[in-house]
């Protein structure tokens, strides 16, 4: 009797989008994959997606990741990050952002140390292009990918000046493929934007102890619109093997929805459970 050939499953890559508080849905998605013993071979991420990807890739347990995400994003902790003391390069200082991200990605961790190969998207303001970060310090790369202009300071890495990867590549399907993934699942945590008014995104009337200037609300809203449109165009050209948008409640807004962190995580879990048959089919 001849030897039976071993069935080799195609490698799986996850592309995790940015989306601020909504990006916490990625934790719930990973939670279900781990529960179902579905192995992730490659990870790519932008902004909040880069935080979750890097933390998971370095070996942080889903339980710790979920607990830290909920604890770190309470309204009180988020307010502590805000600074309006000049000179200002953003309303959140680099040191305060770094302090929060340290809970997920300790200093001294390099991409070469990660258990799962990972690539992070950022945007270079000097050369007006998207860049791939997949070597060197992981924390610095995540800070760059999260550096939304006006909110967080840019990260200077001469000859580059890096800001939020979501400016040009909010759902980095291409990076997962470049790493070697044969099947790519793209999880888009951004709001669809069509038919949603800014009031429904809770820019107005949010439960915060300070007012948000109308000009800043308009800037953030217009930025979200542009990112959502660019992302949809990229989905058409990059074509992930499976594209899904978790059913995140509208009150979990991108910027002010961190007090609903658990709702975002739960939405990601529901999405993974709904798509489990398609996910298994991809890997057969």
């Amino acid at each position: 009797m001849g030897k039976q050939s071993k069935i080799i499953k195609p490698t799986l890559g996850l592309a995790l989008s940015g989306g601020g508080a909504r990006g916490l849905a990625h934790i719930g998605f990973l939670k279900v994959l781990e529960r179902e013993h579905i192995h992730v071979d490659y990870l790519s991420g932008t902004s909040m997606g880069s935080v979750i990807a890097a933390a998971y890739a370095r070996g942080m347990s889903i339980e710790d990741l979920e607990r830290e995400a909920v604890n770190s994003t309470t309204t009180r902790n988020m307010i502590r990050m805000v600074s309006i003391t000049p000179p200002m390069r953003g309303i959140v200082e680099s040191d305060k952002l770094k302090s929060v991200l340290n809970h997920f990605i300790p200093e001294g961790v390099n991409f070469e140390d990660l258990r799962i190969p990972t690539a992070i998207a950022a945007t270079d303001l000097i050369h007006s292009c998207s860049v791939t970060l997949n070597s060197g310090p992981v924390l610095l790369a995540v800070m760059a990918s999260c550096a939304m202009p006006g909110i967080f300071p840019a990260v200077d890495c001469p000859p580059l000046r890096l800001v939020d990867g979501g400016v040009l590549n909010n759902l980095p399907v291409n990076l997962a493929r470049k790493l070697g993934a044969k099947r790519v699942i793209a999880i888009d945590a951004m709001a669809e934007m069509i038919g949603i008014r800014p009031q429904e995104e809770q820019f107005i009337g949010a439960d915060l102890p300070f007012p948000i200037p109308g000009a800043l609300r308009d800037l953030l809203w217009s930025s979200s619109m542009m990112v959502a449109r660019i992302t949809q165009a990229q989905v058409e050209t990059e074509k992930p093997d499976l594209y899904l948008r978790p059913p995140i409640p509208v009150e979990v807004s991108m910027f002010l929805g961190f007090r609903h962190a658990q709702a975002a995580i739960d939405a990601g879990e529901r999405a993974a459970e709904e798509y489990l048959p398609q996910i298994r089919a991809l890997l057969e």
Side-chain angles (χ1 to χ4, degrees):
M1 183 179 295
K3 293 182 179 180
Q4 291 183 344
S5 59
K6 183 178 179 180
I7 297 176
I8 300 176
K9 292 186 177 182
T11 52
L12 174 62
L14 297 186
L16 309 183
S17 79
R22 298 174 64 87
L24 297 175
H26 300 316
I27 297 174
F29 194 89
L30 286 166
K31 186 177 182 180
V32 173
L33 294 191
E34 192 167 282
R35 186 192 71 201
E36 298 296 323
H37 305 291
I38 297 174
H39 178 70
V40 178
D41 299 288
Y42 302 100
L43 285 163
S44 64
T46 297
S47 198
M48 181 59 78
S50 76
V51 178
I52 306 305
Y56 189 70
R58 78 168 180 86
M60 191 173 187
S61 72
I62 283 294
E63 293 78 15
D64 288 344
L65 188 49
E66 181 173 9
R67 185 184 310 110
E68 194 59 56
V70 173
N71 292 340
S72 298
T73 57
T74 61
T75 299
R76 176 178 296 181
N77 286 335
M78 298 305 291
I79 290 172
R80 286 174 178 167
M81 295 178 64
V82 175
S83 175
I84 55 174
T85 303
M88 290 176 60
R89 294 178 60 193
I91 65 173
V92 176
E93 297 175 358
S94 292
D95 288 346
K96 292 182 179 180
L97 174 62
K98 186 176 182 179
S99 177
V100 172
L101 292 178
N102 265 154
H103 295 289
F104 300 91
I105 307 109
E107 291 189 71
V109 176
N110 292 320
F111 279 91
E112 296 74 21
D113 303 320
L114 300 179
R115 300 180 184 183
I116 302 173
T118 301
I120 288 172
T123 304
D124 178 23
L125 293 180
I126 303 298
H127 302 92
S128 302
C129 65
S130 179
V131 297
T132 304
L133 304 176
N134 57 4
S135 64
V138 178
L139 180 59
L140 187 67
V142 171
M143 289 184 66
S145 188
C146 291
M148 183 171 186
I151 305 297
F152 303 110
V155 175
D156 291 315
C157 299
L160 310 179
R161 191 170 193 215
L162 302 176
V163 295
D164 188 356
V167 172
L168 293 175
N169 192 6
N170 196 53
L171 189 59
V173 174
N174 61 326
L175 301 192
R177 292 204 190 283
K178 286 179 181 179
L179 285 172
K182 299 302 181 184
R183 300 287 186 272
V184 177
I185 300 173
I187 301 99
D188 186 0
M190 285 291 293
E192 194 169 4
M193 306 301 290
I194 299 174
I196 299 178
R197 299 187 305 277
Q199 290 87 345
E200 292 173 330
E201 272 280 287
Q202 294 206 348
F203 287 122
I204 298 174
D207 183 20
L208 291 175
F210 53 86
I212 299 177
L216 180 58
R217 292 201 304 265
D218 292 343
L219 174 63
L220 297 179
W221 184 254
S222 60
S223 298
S224 298
M225 288 173 58
M226 289 187 291
V227 169
R229 293 297 185 272
I230 292 172
T231 299
Q232 287 304 306
Q234 288 177 325
V235 168
E236 292 300 318
T237 56
E238 298 294 342
K239 294 189 182 302
D241 297 280
L242 181 61
Y243 168 81
L244 59 91
R245 176 179 280 123
I248 304 170
V250 69
E251 63 266 20
V252 186
S253 64
M254 182 176 181
F255 301 102
L256 303 177
F258 287 101
R259 59 194 175 124
H260 302 292
Q262 192 62 57
I265 295 170
D266 293 344
E269 193 170 348
R270 291 196 302 273
E273 289 170 344
E274 178 184 350
Y275 281 88
L276 266 177
Q278 291 96 316
I279 295 171
R280 293 192 187 283
L282 279 180
L283 301 177
E284 290 179 353

